[in-house]
Amino acid sequence: MRYAYHLMPPLAMLLILGLADHASSTEAPAACLPDQASALLQLKRSFNATIGDYPAAFRSWVAGADCCHWDGVRCGGADGRVTSLDLSHRDLQASSGLDDALFSLTSLEYLDLSSNDFSKSKLPATGFEKLTGLTHLDLSNTNFAGLVPAGIGRLTSLNYLDLSTTFFVEGLDDKYSITYYYSDTMAQLSEPSLETLLANLTNLEELRLGMVMVNMSSNYGTARWCDAMARSSPKLRVISMPYCSLSGPICHSLSALRSLSVIELHYNHLSGPVPEFLAALPSLSVLQLSNNMFEGVFPPIIFQHEKLTTINLTKNLGISGNLPTSFSGDSSLQSLSVSNTNFSGTIPGSISNLRSLKELALGASGFSGVLPSSIGKLKSLSLLEVSGLELVGSIPSWISNLTSLTVLKFFSCGLSGPIPASIGNLKKLTKLALYNCHFSGVIAPQILNLTHLQYLLLHSNNLVGTVELSSYSKMQNLSALNLSNNKLVVMDGENSSSVVSYPNIILLRLASCSISSFPNILRHLHEITFLDLSYNQIQGAIPQWAWKTLNLGFALFNLSHNKFTSIGSHPLLPVYIEFFDLSFNNIEGVIPIPKEGSVTLDYSNNRFSSLPLNFSTYLTNTVLFKASNNSISGNIPPSICDGIKSLQLIDLSNNNLTGLIPSCLMEDADALQVLSLKDNHLTGELPDNIKEGCALSALDFSGNSIQGQLPRSLVACRNLEILDIGNNKISDSFPCWMSKLPQLQVLVLKSNKFIGQILDPSYTGGGNNCQFTKLQFADMSSNNLSGTLPEEWFKMLKSMIMDTCDNDMLMREQHLYYRGKMQSYQFTAGISYKGSGLTISKTLRTLVLIDVSNNAFHGRIPRSIGELVLLRALNMSHNALTGPIPVQFANLKQLELLDLSSNELSGEIL
């Protein structure tokens, strides 16, 4: 091999030597210091070597090698110290938490451990404060629990902080949704003081705390969370705090954060108006305020902000407003949502000026008029939601022009007519929701060609025809199918028993679909977790194969309002069922219990005869237990006391129960809110050792044989609104002492053995003035009460004199909450009218009643009754009242029922 040599001129040689000298004087990156490598290797050992991307993440992490060249590691300067560590999105798992070795890397400026699993361990209470140079800290989706360490609040150089947990709420239909989290198991961090956390973070630009539970009870006040941000972190560009339990309004101090570009505050409890100053933030691009409690008129000027790409106001029922008549062509809007708000008016044709629009959600019942055809020009739309009770016409033909649509939703609207077959040409659709409108005709077969469809919701319309469930086997991506409440006849169809490929349907709702037999197709739907077959004509037993096939557990299992006669299984069902409804059938025998647990159990209106042995063992997480209107006999087992720790409602009314009421149902009622045992054969006395903290709001023991006195310890139940002990054998005096219950609205004492006067001096002394401030339904009929009816007592019934914001005519349903969802329970009341019983089976919202009939009252009718202008029913019959009917009764404009019969009244009827 030959080499060519060239002599270098002396001047060039000198220049190169000079450059070499200069290079040697510049500090070259040093090798990783041993203590830094040691700390990293210790951190590596804290992760499980068999989970996630462990081999790839740590392939280069070899002892003896320069750690500054390891994957995810960077060093700065010439001292060999680690300044950047990025192990994000590796799906690593550390069962014992974050290793303290991390805090030996005191030169760290960038730390990202996001999207790894630290197994619900707590973040170290100390250590973060050592990382004084940290500017970027990302611990998102790491499954840490407990408090945010105070040391993070001391990192004065931080400009990026992310402690969030990603969540995504997927609506299966209009009632049910699934919340997805990054991890299968989800823990939450909590921050005891947002003010303290931010106090020293003066350089912070991005704050992401999604799903961190922020305590708003500090001295700064619930409405002052934004003041803490504005005062401490003036450089903020991003505020992302969904699901953080924030409350109060968006305060004006945020207007000082002139760099704000992203505001994400969805899934909180924020209230008050959406402030107009948001339109003046020059860089604002994302305004995400959905799922809050905002109210008032939305400032129209915000729609004109040219840099906004997202405006999302979804699920703020108190927000009203109108869309601008003229949208600017310079708008950058890509996503606009006012669904489930109180927006109204017409949808302007100028909406087609929003040329960048990809998501348009106009699902507000107040929209009216005709849908503008200009929407058909928005060819980039991937989502279109429209609602409006006053919208007119049919589904417009221009819908077929929107070929980029993945979601098409018309709901709660005034549109009518058939569902056009041309929708079958929207091949990218993954969600088609056309419900609660007036659509009619048959379901176009072309819809079955939408092979990417995941959600098909056509419920609550006027659709007709026969539907074969087997035909939906073509839609292999289908997850949710709801055909309920139409005029359809749903059948299995051909091949329902054969081994064909069915989609993995999660939700199937076929209420009121004229189904006469248990759908055989369910044999093939192994992923189903929401099943609603209510209001059909299914007879006989639930098939045994159903319990063997459908064994993954259910979020909803509703077979109510059918003609089932048997559960078709051992009473201990081998499943978990969150919401289990068998009500209004003809099922006999022992009540079945999901042995894996349940939240709501409704067995009412059947023919069940007994409770299973030790059934309370399986009620550990149950919130509502309803078994009214059955034939259950025997005693209420004392073992029920073991299962009431989470129970909020127990309804065993209208059965054949005997014996005593277990004392725990009243004495240990720190969770129980509603207890109804009416119309049984219970005996003995009511328990009288009720403890402070009693949560009871409604008690109904009417129609039994209970004796003794009313328990005085009931005054511990400060939330009690309804007490009905009618039709028993209670021997007591009129309970003025119950006026200490500040929320009492319904008091039914009828058909017992109460004696004495209403205002007996012997028990109205000591400051007890018998003033029932919220009482609106008072029935003391058919007792042995005597004396005169006192003028002053009727004057104290303030809630019958005027309607106020406080009482809001509170004869209402009892509202219970589970996972943020309201569960309602309706009470009925029986009143006497013309000697016959009359049952009021409504929410009693407008019924204000006084019934003192069938007692031994004498003297004049009090004139003060004429001041009770909200009275709807007044029964004073079968007493010994004398004198005239007070002229003040002319003031009772709301009165619908007046019975003064069988008294000794005189004078004229004016």
Side-chain angles (χ1 to χ4, degrees):
M1 182 180 292
R2 300 180 62 182
Y3 295 92
Y5 291 90
H6 300 279
L7 295 177
M8 188 174 291
L11 180 61
M13 180 78 71
L14 290 174
L15 287 172
I16 290 175
L17 289 173
L19 290 172
D21 289 341
H22 177 73
S24 64
S25 67
T26 302
E27 295 181 354
C32 175
L33 293 176
D35 69 308
Q36 304 283 281
S38 176
L40 289 171
L41 289 173
Q42 184 175 331
L43 182 65
K44 169 187 173 181
R45 288 192 292 271
S46 70
F47 292 103
N48 190 322
T50 63
I51 293 178
D53 200 17
Y54 187 95
F58 298 116
R59 183 178 294 118
S60 59
W61 290 38
V62 179
D66 185 357
C67 76
C68 293
H69 295 97
W70 290 353
D71 186 28
V73 179
R74 296 290 178 269
C75 300
D79 60 359
R81 293 189 174 279
V82 175
T83 58
S84 174
L85 176 60
D86 186 354
L87 292 176
S88 62
H89 295 89
R90 304 284 190 165
D91 292 323
L92 304 172
Q93 185 184 72
S95 56
S96 56
L98 183 61
D99 198 289
D100 287 344
L102 175 72
F103 303 124
S104 300
L105 307 175
T106 55
S107 295
L108 274 178
E109 299 171 6
Y110 185 101
L111 175 60
D112 190 346
L113 300 177
S114 62
S115 301
N116 293 297
D117 188 358
F118 288 86
S119 306
K120 295 186 178 182
S121 61
K122 293 182 179 180
L123 280 167
T126 59
F128 280 99
E129 65 278 358
K130 298 177 183 179
L131 309 181
T132 55
L134 207 61
T135 62
H136 183 106
L137 176 59
D138 192 343
L139 299 177
S140 61
N141 298 313
T142 45
N143 207 14
F144 279 113
L147 298 177
V148 175
I152 291 177
R154 300 173 193 162
L155 303 177
T156 57
S157 298
L158 268 187
N159 57 51
Y160 183 97
L161 176 60
D162 191 347
L163 304 176
S164 62
T165 297
T166 301
F167 68 97
F168 175 66
V169 181
E170 180 68 29
L172 295 175
D173 64 3
D174 55 319
K175 289 188 177 181
Y176 297 101
S177 61
I178 297 179
T179 302
Y180 297 96
Y181 304 102
Y182 177 80
S183 174
D184 290 338
T185 61
M186 192 277 295
Q188 280 185 279
L189 290 168
S190 60
E191 172 49 57
S193 172
L194 185 64
E195 182 183 9
T196 302
L197 175 67
L198 299 178
N200 299 307
L201 303 185
T202 56
N203 291 302
L204 199 62
E205 297 181 13
E206 295 196 30
L207 177 64
R208 299 180 182 274
L209 299 179
M211 292 203 76
V212 175
M213 303 305 291
V214 176
N215 185 353
M216 301 307 302
S217 61
S218 68
N219 293 334
Y220 221 52
T222 57
R224 304 289 92 182
W225 56 271
C226 33
D227 283 347
M229 294 179 186
R231 186 179 66 241
S232 302
S233 305
K235 299 179 182 179
L236 276 174
R237 295 185 296 104
V238 174
I239 299 173
S240 180
M241 296 182 66
Y243 220 121
C244 285
S245 298
L246 297 178
S247 59
I250 296 178
C251 37
H252 191 268
S253 56
L254 279 191
S255 63
L257 301 179
R258 306 299 293 171
S259 299
L260 269 181
S261 61
V262 174
I263 299 176
E264 295 176 339
L265 299 172
H266 45 303
Y267 288 96
N268 280 292
H269 312 295
L270 298 172
S271 57
V274 176
E276 188 171 309
F277 71 73
L278 296 174
L281 297 175
S283 302
L284 192 63
S285 61
V286 173
L287 183 61
Q288 168 57 281
L289 302 177
S290 66
N291 293 271
N292 277 285
M293 297 182 291
F294 289 110
E295 56 193 5
V297 178
F298 183 76
I301 191 173
I302 295 179
F303 288 118
Q304 306 303 328
H305 196 302
E306 292 185 358
K307 290 189 178 179
L308 269 173
T309 61
T310 298
I311 299 176
N312 194 333
L313 308 176
T314 298
K315 291 190 177 178
N316 282 283
L317 295 176
I319 289 183
S320 60
N322 298 95
L323 297 175
T325 55
S326 179
F327 279 101
S328 170
D330 296 325
S331 173
S332 302
L333 272 178
Q334 298 177 22
S335 177
L336 171 61
S337 176
V338 297
S339 286
N340 296 102
T341 66
N342 199 28
F343 265 69
S344 58
T346 57
I347 299 170
S350 65
I351 207 160
S352 61
N353 292 336
L354 305 178
R355 291 183 290 271
S356 301
L357 210 58
K358 292 181 173 60
E359 296 182 348
L360 178 60
L362 305 178
S365 60
F367 284 123
S368 59
V370 177
L371 284 174
S373 59
S374 58
I375 296 178
K377 299 178 182 178
L378 299 172
K379 299 297 181 64
S380 297
L381 272 187
S382 62
L383 179 149
L384 176 61
E385 286 186 11
V386 178
S387 180
L389 298 176
E390 301 299 323
L391 288 177
V392 295
S394 56
I395 297 179
S397 59
W398 47 258
I399 287 292
S400 59
N401 297 336
L402 303 177
T403 53
S404 296
L405 280 180
T406 59
V407 175
L408 176 60
K409 188 173 177 181
F410 287 93
F411 66 103
S412 300
C413 67
L415 298 182
S416 57
I419 298 173
S422 58
I423 286 180
N425 297 327
L426 302 176
K427 300 298 185 182
K428 295 182 180 180
L429 277 182
T430 60
K431 185 169 189 175
L432 178 60
L434 308 173
Y435 63 84
N436 198 23
C437 294
H438 304 286
F439 300 127
S440 57
V442 299
I443 300 174
Q446 289 82 354
I447 288 178
L448 297 176
N449 298 330
L450 300 174
T451 55
H452 293 289
L453 211 59
Q454 298 173 22
Y455 304 91
L456 178 58
L457 313 176
L458 302 177
H459 55 284
S460 302
N461 286 294
N462 296 313
L463 301 174
V464 298
T466 300
V467 173
E468 294 188 353
L469 291 174
S470 59
S471 63
Y472 290 93
S473 62
K474 303 175 184 178
M475 307 173 79
Q476 286 294 297
N477 293 300
L478 200 62
S479 295
L481 175 63
N482 191 341
L483 303 177
S484 299
N485 301 308
N486 281 283
K487 299 175 182 177
L488 298 169
V489 176
V490 174
M491 306 173 63
D492 272 316
E494 297 180 5
N495 302 319
S496 63
S497 299
S498 62
V499 181
V500 296
S501 178
Y502 283 95
N504 291 322
I505 291 179
I506 296 173
L507 178 145
L508 180 63
R509 300 193 66 196
L510 301 173
S512 297
C513 284
S514 300
I515 300 174
S516 57
S517 60
F518 204 82
N520 211 46
I521 194 175
L522 290 170
R523 292 177 182 269
H524 312 289
L525 304 183
H526 302 296
E527 302 296 323
I528 194 163
T529 54
F530 295 83
L531 177 63
D532 184 357
L533 298 176
S534 61
Y535 291 92
N536 283 291
Q537 293 93 45
I538 309 176
Q539 303 183 31
I542 299 172
Q544 289 186 359
W545 59 258
W547 302 113
K548 296 177 182 179
T549 305
L550 309 172
N551 58 3
L552 293 180
F554 290 88
L556 170 72
F557 193 86
N558 188 352
L559 302 182
S560 67
H561 295 85
N562 276 282
K563 299 178 181 178
F564 287 107
T565 56
S566 169
I567 198 68
S569 168
H570 188 276
L572 285 181
L573 304 176
V575 289
Y576 170 82
I577 304 177
E578 188 167 3
F579 294 92
F580 189 26
D581 193 347
L582 293 176
S583 63
F584 292 92
N585 279 285
N586 299 312
I587 306 175
E588 301 177 336
V590 181
I591 281 180
I593 297 283
K595 68 177 183 179
E596 300 299 324
S598 189
V599 172
T600 294
L601 297 170
D602 192 348
Y603 307 107
S604 56
N605 295 279
N606 276 281
R607 298 178 181 177
F608 290 115
S609 56
S610 62
L611 297 167
L613 292 174
N614 300 318
F615 78 104
S616 60
T617 305
Y618 308 100
L619 301 182
T620 305
N621 298 312
T622 304
V623 175
L624 279 76
F625 184 86
K626 300 164 71 173
S628 60
N629 296 296
N630 279 282
S631 301
I632 303 171
S633 59
N635 295 349
I636 302 174
S639 61
I640 197 172
C641 297
D642 300 327
I644 66 168
K645 293 178 176 59
S646 59
L647 276 170
Q648 296 180 30
L649 180 147
I650 299 174
D651 185 359
L652 294 171
S653 60
N654 292 287
N655 280 287
N656 297 316
L657 295 168
T658 55
L660 304 177
I661 297 173
S663 60
C664 67
L665 294 182
M666 294 178 64
E667 295 179 349
D668 301 319
D670 53 355
L672 192 63
Q673 298 176 37
V674 176
L675 176 60
S676 180
L677 301 176
K678 73 174 183 179
D679 293 330
N680 280 283
H681 306 290
L682 299 170
T683 56
E685 298 185 4
L686 293 175
D688 192 9
N689 190 22
I690 301 170
K691 299 177 179 61
E692 292 296 327
C694 167
L696 287 167
S697 62
L699 286 171
D700 192 347
F701 300 132
S702 60
N704 284 283
S705 297
I706 299 170
Q707 300 175 338
Q709 294 185 323
L710 288 176
R712 274 31 178 188
S713 58
L714 263 177
V715 294
C717 302
R718 305 291 292 173
N719 298 319
L720 194 65
E721 298 179 5
I722 296 174
L723 176 64
D724 188 346
I725 51 98
N727 295 79
N728 278 284
K729 299 177 181 179
I730 302 289
S731 300
D732 208 339
S733 54
F734 183 79
C736 266
W737 54 269
M738 294 191 73
S739 62
K740 295 179 181 179
L741 296 170
Q743 305 299 326
L744 191 65
Q745 302 158 38
V746 175
L747 179 60
V748 181
L749 309 176
K750 70 176 183 179
S751 300
N752 278 282
K753 298 178 181 180
F754 284 91
I755 60 173
Q757 304 176 49
I758 289 181
L759 286 180
D760 191 322
S762 65
Y763 61 83
T764 54
N768 187 353
N769 60 6
C770 210
Q771 183 171 349
F772 291 83
T773 56
K774 290 195 174 181
L775 194 63
Q776 293 182 270
F777 193 106
D779 188 349
M780 56 197 82
S781 61
S782 301
N783 280 285
N784 296 314
L785 295 169
S786 59
T788 59
L789 291 169
E791 289 270 1
E792 57 270 32
W793 188 74
F794 292 98
K795 289 181 179 180
M796 291 188 287
L797 301 178
K798 301 296 185 183
S799 58
M800 300 189 188
I801 296 174
M802 63 180 65
D803 194 4
T804 67
C805 294
D806 290 333
N807 64 34
D808 190 31
M809 303 304 291
L810 287 175
M811 305 300 186
R812 69 185 191 280
E813 293 172 306
Q814 297 298 297
H815 294 317
L816 312 173
Y817 289 86
Y818 171 72
R819 294 186 180 176
K821 297 179 181 178
M822 185 174 68
Q823 311 292 326
S824 63
Y825 180 75
Q826 181 173 312
F827 269 85
T828 61
I831 63 175
S832 297
Y833 180 56
K834 293 184 177 179
S836 301
L838 177 65
T839 298
I840 307 297
S841 56
K842 57 181 180 180
T843 60
L844 304 175
R845 180 175 291 275
T846 60
L847 184 57
V848 180
L849 173 145
I850 295 176
D851 191 344
V852 296
S853 63
N854 288 288
N855 280 285
F857 292 115
H858 64 269
R860 291 175 173 264
I861 297 174
R863 291 173 295 178
S864 56
I865 293 178
E867 299 177 21
L868 308 181
V869 295
L870 299 181
L871 267 181
R872 297 282 183 132
L874 176 63
N875 191 346
M876 309 180 81
S877 65
H878 294 87
N879 281 285
L881 300 173
T882 58
I885 300 173
V887 295
Q888 289 81 3
F889 275 26
N891 298 326
L892 304 180
K893 306 295 186 184
Q894 306 284 345
L895 201 62
E896 297 176 5
L897 185 156
L898 175 62
D899 190 349
L900 303 177
S901 63
S902 299
N903 280 288
E904 299 171 14
L905 301 175
S906 60
E908 297 182 7
I909 298 177
L910 301 178

